[in-house]
Amino acid sequence: MPKVHDRGSWPNDDPIDHSEHEMEEWERKVDALSSVLGEKGLKNTDQLRRAIESLDLKTYESLSYYEKWTAAMETLLVEQGVMTTAEIDAKMSELERGQK
Amino acid sequence: MAENGHNHGDNAEYYALRAEAIQALLVEKGVCSINDILSMADKLDSRSPKDGAKVLAHAWVDPAYKERLLADAESALLELGYDLPETAPRLTVLENTSEVHHMAVCTLCSCYPRAIIGRPPAWYKGLAYRSKVVVDPRGVLKEFGTELDESVQVRVIDSSADYRYLVLPTRPAGTEGMSEEELAKLITQESMIGVALALSPESVSTS
């Protein structure tokens, strides 16, 4: 069985969904962040792909495109010691409290 | 079904917030500013299929330019003012003819000639296209309403982090007297990926 991302010839009878997805603002920012991190030398396409490809099958298939990118960028930033998972969790709670 | 991975379920809210947290930390740590992210987003917004169509229409009317474009896409793009970033992956233009039809895919993810035609359409990133196109390209073409003569050889090209492909569609019949600007309107995003042909002049003349 090929790895989760390796989709060429993976059995699939689903019709191609031609509907376009209007990008949400957070997705647009994630899309841009990937390029910004690229410019800062904190990410390249191979690294981002490797991080996406290490997701387990269920996660890979259930996350949307930019959700996968977010998860992958987190992996790379944590690996490189730029931030820790605990810091992200804490910042998330802080933002969540601010929203309420 | 999250065919194109666009399930607007519980995940989206979580990841939107997680992404915001990551960005806030990057700003706090001085890695980048919010303005860096927003100006990059604007820059990425500025590329669209219209840019690719303009270049390819020029190749239709100028055979010498076409040769240069097929031989060295980056230099030929620069001639028209498109300066691809140094970090952009190598770009190759593949010419469709009456004998050969090219289709581009990224079976592993979503690699795409973003530097010249912007972000990929949702279906290009979806699992169905990525899985099926390498097994049954003609079946996939039919899903896009594209039928090719049996004699045409279909080549499916897999993109990668380092190599991206832009398809130069066949110039439709009956376009001899058209201006470059009119021709560019016949070159759609789908035709530059190779899942469709360029539009016929009749199909746009009514608009």
Side-chain angles (χ1 to χ4, degrees), chain B residues 124-206:
Chain B
Y124 185 86
K125 308 184 282 189
L127 301 180
Y129 180 71
R130 289 163 52 197
S131 301
K132 295 197 292 191
V133 72
V134 292
V135 182
D136 181 19
R138 282 178 192 270
V140 167
L141 283 170
K142 277 204 188 84
E143 286 193 59
F144 285 89
T146 308
E147 298 230 27
L148 296 175
D149 198 274
E150 276 306 313
S151 67
V152 178
Q153 187 195 7
V154 177
R155 286 187 194 156
V156 179
I157 309 291
D158 206 351
S159 314
S160 73
D162 304 313
Y163 292 93
R164 309 291 166 94
Y165 302 93
L166 186 68
V167 174
L168 170 61
T170 315
R171 181 168 173 172
T175 56
E176 292 73 17
M178 289 173 73
S179 71
E180 218 172 295
E181 210 170 89
E182 287 171 321
L183 287 169
K185 290 180 190 152
L186 306 179
I187 302 175
T188 61
Q189 182 186 50
E190 289 184 354
S191 73
M192 291 186 277
I193 304 172
V195 294
L197 305 174
L199 300 174
S200 69
E202 298 79 35
S203 66
V204 293
S205 61
T206 48

Side-chain angles (χ1 to χ4, degrees), chain A residues 48-81:
Chain A
L48 187 74
R49 271 194 38 224
R50 190 261 303 156
I52 294 173
E53 289 159 12
S54 3
L55 296 169
D56 64 85
L57 181 65
K58 194 167 161 273
T59 311
Y60 186 88
E61 292 195 340
S62 67
L63 295 193
S64 74
Y65 190 68
Y66 288 109
E67 289 164 7
K68 280 188 271 215
W69 276 37
T70 304
M73 278 190 258
E74 173 173 340
T75 303
L76 297 180
L77 291 169
V78 170
E79 271 177 6
Q80 293 172 94

Side-chain angles (χ1 to χ4, degrees), chain A residues 5-10 12-21 23-26 28-33 35-37 39-40 42 45-46 49 52-53 60-67 69-71 74 77 82-83 85 87-89 91-92 95-96 99, chain B residues 1-8 11-12 14-26 28-29 31-32 36-38 40-45 107-111 114 119 121-123 125 127-132 134-135 140 143-144 161-162 164:
Chain A
H5 63 284
D6 192 358
R7 291 288 159 154
S9 78
W10 190 294
N12 192 317
D13 296 322
D14 295 335
I16 293 164
D17 179 355
H18 297 267
S19 60
E20 200 37 72
H21 165 70
M23 249 187 172
E24 288 172 36
E25 184 56 21
W26 79 268
R28 191 173 161 268
K29 273 155 82 179
V30 166
D31 185 73
L33 179 62
S35 296
V36 170
L37 293 180
E39 282 186 350
K40 307 273 175 202
L42 290 168
T45 307
D46 293 306
R49 271 194 38 224
I52 294 173
E53 289 159 12
Y60 186 88
E61 292 195 340
S62 67
L63 295 193
S64 74
Y65 190 68
Y66 288 109
E67 289 164 7
W69 276 37
T70 304
E74 173 173 340
L77 291 169
V82 178
M83 57 184 69
T85 309
E87 283 178 308
I88 303 171
D89 289 339
K91 181 57 81 181
M92 241 180 120
L95 292 170
E96 216 159 19
Q99 280 179 355
Chain B
M1 173 77 206
E3 209 294 299
N4 286 341
H6 298 135
N7 52 328
H8 289 279
N11 290 333
Y14 172 86
Y15 280 97
L17 196 63
R18 194 131 191 108
E20 197 186 332
I22 292 169
Q23 287 162 40
L25 286 167
L26 287 169
E28 276 174 28
K29 291 170 187 288
V31 176
C32 65
D36 289 337
I37 298 170
L38 292 175
M40 179 62 80
D42 289 342
K43 203 166 127 190
L44 295 171
D45 284 344
T107 59
L108 299 180
C109 186
S110 57
C111 285
R114 277 171 163 250
R119 302 180 186 98
W123 59 260
K125 308 184 282 189
L127 301 180
Y129 180 71
R130 289 163 52 197
S131 301
K132 295 197 292 191
V134 292
V135 182
V140 167
E143 286 193 59
F144 285 89
D162 304 313
R164 309 291 166 94

